[in-house]
Amino acid sequence: MTDVQNQPTKCPLTISSYTLGTEVSFPERVRIAAERGFDGIGLRAENYWDALSDGLTDEDMLRILDAHDIKVTEVEYITQWGRAEDRTEAQQDKERTVFHMAKLFDVKHVNCGLLEIIPEDEIVVALRELCERAGDIIIGLEFMPYSGVPDLATAWRVCEASGCWNAQLICDTWHWARAEQTAADIAPVPAERIVSIQLCDVREAPYIKLRDESLHDRLAPGEGYGDTVGFAKILRDHGVKPCVMGVEVISDAFVATGLEYAANKVYTATKKVLDEAWPELSPKRD
């Protein structure tokens, strides 16, 4: 099996889970995304568990998605997979849940990151084991400058060294900008090994604690200092054909203003960026 075989003919524009916050119900999340014009929603394990707690079954969720002609196109987030002592019962339950969600919603990849700082050779072994547990699901490894996989070069080294076809990469504007990545950094990476792209933007000055900024204070694509247009052009020119174009604007301020506002704001900003940088992936709706 090759990663190219898993790529859909259309790249769905997806509103990632955190863009609509953590308190919105599953039906509302679907409704808001559909009404704004997104093709898909991102869903975290916590969102799925909340839906079950609200009394929804897997079949209920599928019916709600069908009623709004929208799909779950992004499933996340597996962490704490780097060392045996980190793979607690709760971690393993979450990992199993994420894999179940991927199969339930027919999502070909799941998003993963590694916060713990451990030796690279250990990451390679752990990633190989994670990919083996995933089976035919792609592991989308996201580099984050405050993590054990801090940049694109490290992410690609461990994916390549794992020897697993399903060890692939996610490129996120925020992490790209804060890790100070350039077109030169992507040159050694095969385009077909980048499974997903996430768009957002960054403030001019980084927080002292980068993870706090990443989880609370991102900007809409093209409205900050991360050059989202340039980021998208680099990936397009490299030949990347993502399975998903996600919009991950994690912003307490946007969510506090209102979820319809957040969805409208990021959709409009994303369309403007893609119209300029990647028109074939830009949504046709205004």
Side-chain angles (χ1 to χ4, degrees):
M1 179 183 293
T2 66
D3 38 6
V4 174
Q5 289 174 326
N6 282 318
Q7 291 182 357
T9 55
K10 183 177 185 296
C11 177
L13 185 63
T14 298
I15 186 165
S16 295
S17 169
Y18 270 141
T19 303
L20 292 179
T22 59
E23 303 301 321
V24 60
S25 70
F26 182 86
E28 279 294 278
R29 183 181 297 275
V30 174
R31 178 190 65 79
I32 291 167
E35 288 181 355
R36 174 54 271 189
F38 286 94
D39 302 304
I41 62 167
L43 211 63
R44 301 176 67 84
E46 291 80 2
N47 308 139
Y48 174 75
W49 287 330
D50 286 346
L52 294 178
S53 296
D54 288 342
L56 296 179
T57 65
D58 285 355
E59 292 72 23
D60 292 332
M61 288 182 240
L62 292 172
R63 282 195 293 271
I64 291 167
L65 290 162
D66 286 344
H68 290 277
D69 192 25
I70 201 167
K71 297 182 181 299
V72 174
T73 48
E74 183 178 70
V75 170
E76 52 185 18
Y77 198 77
I78 299 177
T79 58
Q80 295 180 280
W81 46 268
R83 297 173 298 195
E85 57 265 35
D86 296 325
R87 298 200 68 234
T88 62
E89 184 175 340
Q91 188 277 339
Q92 292 179 57
D93 180 50
K94 185 174 183 180
E95 183 179 297
R96 287 191 295 266
T97 297
V98 168
F99 291 152
H100 169 73
M101 291 165 64
K103 292 183 180 296
L104 172 66
F105 299 117
D106 193 27
V107 180
K108 303 303 182 186
H109 76 285
V110 297
N111 297 3
C112 304
L114 184 68
L115 293 174
E116 294 79 22
I117 311 297
I118 64 177
E120 194 167 304
D121 59 341
E122 294 182 24
I123 297 176
V124 171
V125 173
L127 179 60
R128 183 182 302 124
E129 293 171 349
L130 177 60
C131 287
E132 290 171 352
R133 294 194 297 273
D136 60 357
I137 299 170
I138 293 169
I139 295 297
L141 178 61
E142 185 172 17
F143 68 88
M144 300 176 286
Y146 46 78
S147 78
V149 184
D151 51 34
L152 184 56
T154 305
W156 172 236
R157 279 199 309 272
V158 298
C159 282
E160 186 177 33
S162 76
C164 298
W165 73 269
N166 58 335
Q168 300 187 25
L169 303 175
I170 295 172
C171 288
D172 177 301
T173 316
W174 193 93
H175 300 300
W176 179 278
R178 288 296 184 237
E180 299 181 347
Q181 304 297 276
T182 68
D185 295 301
I186 204 171
V189 181
E192 65 271 15
R193 296 298 286 271
I194 298 174
V195 66
S196 177
I197 295 169
Q198 295 180 324
L199 299 179
C200 60
D201 215 327
V202 302
R203 296 192 173 278
E204 182 175 15
Y207 281 24
I208 294 174
K209 294 184 178 180
L210 286 178
R211 190 164 186 240
D212 286 348
E213 181 189 352
S214 175
L215 292 177
H216 297 281
D217 200 8
R218 300 190 187 194
L219 299 179
E223 298 188 359
Y225 293 83
D227 188 15
T228 314
V229 169
F231 164 77
K233 284 182 176 178
I234 287 170
L235 294 168
R236 179 180 182 269
D237 292 346
H238 190 61
V240 175
K241 293 181 173 58
C243 288
V244 170
M245 179 67 75
V247 185
E248 188 171 55
V249 182
I250 310 175
S251 168
D252 292 350
F254 283 8
V255 171
T257 303
L259 298 185
E260 282 82 2
Y261 168 85
N264 281 324
K265 174 76 170 174
V266 302
Y267 180 93
T268 301
T270 298
K271 184 176 182 350
K272 184 176 180 181
V273 166
L274 292 177
D275 281 347
E276 180 177 351
W278 212 328
E280 60 268 38
L281 296 187
S282 184
K284 305 309 176 187
R285 300 171 295 275
D286 290 324

